[in-house]
Amino acid sequence: MLQRETLAQGEINERVLLTGELRAGVAIDLTVPKTETWELTIRWMAEDGAVVKAGDRVLEFDNSAFTTGLVQKQISVIEANSAFRTYRDISAMALSTKQHELEHHRVNLEKATLLTSVPADLLPQRTVQDRQLEKTRAELALSKAEKDFAAERQANALEAKVKQIELDKAKRAVETAEKAISELVLKAPRDGVISIGTHPWEGRRFQIGDVVQPGFIIVTLPDFTQPMEIKAELSDVDDGRVAVGQKGRCTLDAYPLEPLPCDVKELAPVARARQRQSLRRNFAVSLSIPNKDPDRMRPGMSVKVELIGKKLAGLLAPRSALMFDNGKAALRLGGGEMREVKVAGCDAQKCVIESGATVGDVVGSR
């Protein structure tokens, strides 16, 4: 049911309310490693808030795809090594055969040379010619044997090099798989407290069984000696109402009676959807906050942010009587019809109407 209210002049302090989460300003991030499979599944991780020592296991990904492949890669190494050794032995035997043939032809040439050295006047002319022909044949045979031996040795060397490359490639594949498996277990680089990261698509903390991609920050180790920060989001309908350097009050939900001063240090220039198929878009906002009590201020705590803007005066309308869409505002009148208006600013309850309404207009709010 609509509540009727008459518009009147007044003033407000423009105020923007945000909700955020406390984060460490300085922290060591443990991210998803890049692997051949790209996506990995979280098999185990330490509990949020757990105290760890340097070298303690804090995060482990499922390695079943790598261990299965590792066995096959190790078999490939054995096969490549066997092929290399077998070829080396066979090629050595073939080269030895060629060398034996070469020595045989060399001896034949020496014998033929010795026979042709006998003075021609001591032998029949036909014998001299036969011996000279035999020497020529021996020289040709030796030349061919030398070429065959050189070609065999070169071919063996090239094939052995190919086999060695195949063996080295198989060994590197095993080393890469073993390295990938070892990188699937992340350990704490120093003493600290575990803080579980937020899934960028689901808007919740990571859980065991989540499928993640390289670069996702799963776990952080905050440095509590450094100032903290707050990560919040500003709806795109409030574009322009927050600026870098704007000051406000930030209250931890766990300690509602102890607000702390904070100020905006970063504001994203582009609004983005928080989830894959969401139509709502938000600007990422980062605020700095003093770390006055490291024992109580822990990453992950919810924070209410109240940013104070300028003082505005003019025609006031209940915020619940206004609807905002794509940067435009519409005022719900007492009869239920909507009228487009221009809004100068708002606090939590009221908005200043710059144009489109006059004093005495009756509006309906819920």
Side-chain angles (χ1 to χ4, degrees):
M1 182 176 179
L2 295 178
Q3 296 181 356
R4 298 176 182 272
E5 184 174 335
T6 303
L7 301 186
Q9 295 286 337
E11 63 178 29
I12 61 172
N13 284 320
E14 187 178 21
R15 186 176 65 163
V16 180
L17 295 178
L18 306 174
T19 57
E21 185 177 284
L22 194 63
R23 301 282 182 87
V26 178
I28 297 177
D29 298 330
L30 301 183
T31 61
V32 180
K34 186 176 181 180
T35 62
E36 295 178 354
T37 60
W38 187 255
E39 290 186 335
L40 295 172
T41 301
I42 299 176
R43 183 163 70 180
W44 177 89
M45 60 182 172
E47 294 183 0
D48 189 39
V51 178
V52 296
K53 298 292 185 181
D56 285 353
R57 181 173 62 112
V58 297
L59 178 62
E60 185 174 340
F61 299 98
D62 182 34
N63 63 5
S64 57
F66 297 91
T67 53
T68 302
L70 178 60
V71 173
Q72 184 58 47
K73 289 181 174 66
Q74 290 172 335
I75 293 174
S76 297
V77 170
I78 295 174
E79 292 175 346
N81 188 50
S82 176
F84 175 72
R85 292 177 178 274
T86 300
Y87 179 78
R88 186 181 60 184
D89 295 340
I90 293 175
S91 62
M93 294 174 59
L95 189 63
S96 176
T97 300
K98 292 292 183 182
Q99 187 172 17
H100 178 72
E101 292 176 356
L102 176 62
E103 293 299 327
H104 174 71
H105 289 296
R106 185 174 286 118
V107 169
N108 288 343
L109 178 59
E110 290 176 355
K111 289 170 60 179
T113 302
L114 181 61
L115 291 175
T116 57
S117 65
V118 177
D121 56 353
L122 299 179
L123 298 171
Q125 184 64 28
R126 179 62 180 270
T127 302
V128 172
Q129 292 176 350
D130 289 344
R131 289 183 177 182
Q132 189 64 43
L133 181 60
E134 188 64 29
K135 178 183 178 183
T136 301
R137 290 173 177 171
E139 289 175 342
L140 293 174
L142 177 61
S143 177
K144 182 178 182 301
E146 289 175 339
K147 292 178 181 179
D148 290 347
F149 177 76
E152 182 75 16
R153 182 167 56 185
Q154 184 178 15
N156 288 351
L158 290 175
E159 186 63 24
K161 188 174 182 180
V162 171
K163 297 293 185 183
Q164 183 67 57
I165 291 174
E166 292 175 351
L167 176 58
D168 293 341
K169 182 180 179 181
K171 288 181 177 179
R172 283 195 301 271
V174 171
E175 292 173 357
T176 301
E178 290 175 341
K179 182 181 179 183
I181 292 173
S182 66
E183 290 177 346
L184 297 182
V185 178
L186 304 186
K187 298 181 179 180
R190 61 170 174 79
D191 297 353
V193 177
I194 292 297
S195 177
I196 305 300
T198 302
H199 198 295
W201 299 335
E202 305 295 336
R204 57 166 176 78
R205 293 188 181 278
F206 285 105
Q207 302 172 354
I208 294 175
D210 281 347
V211 177
V212 293
Q213 296 182 358
F216 282 11
I217 300 174
I218 309 299
V219 172
T220 61
L221 289 173
D223 186 351
F224 293 112
T225 64
Q226 302 297 320
M228 304 289 282
E229 66 179 11
I230 296 170
K231 294 293 185 181
E233 292 182 339
L234 174 71
S235 175
D236 57 354
V237 300
D238 291 324
D239 185 15
R241 299 184 60 203
V242 173
V244 174
Q246 190 169 346
K247 299 185 181 299
R249 293 187 296 270
C250 293
T251 305
L252 300 176
D253 287 355
Y255 307 101
L257 301 180
E258 303 177 26
L260 297 171
C262 57
D263 58 85
V264 179
K265 68 174 185 177
E266 291 182 9
L267 177 62
V270 179
R272 299 183 182 278
R274 185 173 186 180
Q275 298 180 355
R276 289 183 177 181
Q277 300 178 346
S278 175
L279 298 178
R280 301 179 61 184
R281 297 183 178 274
N282 300 283
F283 295 93
V285 182
S286 296
L287 304 99
S288 60
I289 184 172
N291 189 13
K292 292 185 176 181
D293 194 345
D295 292 333
R296 293 198 301 176
M297 296 177 65
R298 295 293 184 181
M301 285 185 168
S302 298
V303 184
K304 182 177 72 174
V305 180
E306 181 182 0
L307 298 175
I308 308 300
K310 57 187 176 181
K311 182 175 289 188
L312 299 174
L315 185 64
L316 299 184
R319 187 161 185 163
S320 60
L322 289 161
M323 293 186 64
F324 297 90
D325 185 27
N326 293 327
K328 295 182 179 181
L331 181 66
R332 182 185 296 107
L333 300 180
E337 64 272 21
M338 304 300 295
R339 179 191 297 173
E340 186 174 341
V341 296
K342 186 176 181 181
V343 177
C346 301
D347 64 9
Q349 289 81 31
K350 301 283 186 177
C351 291
V352 175
I353 305 299
E354 187 173 334
S355 62
T358 58
V359 175
D361 284 348
V362 178
V363 299
S365 60
R366 297 185 184 277

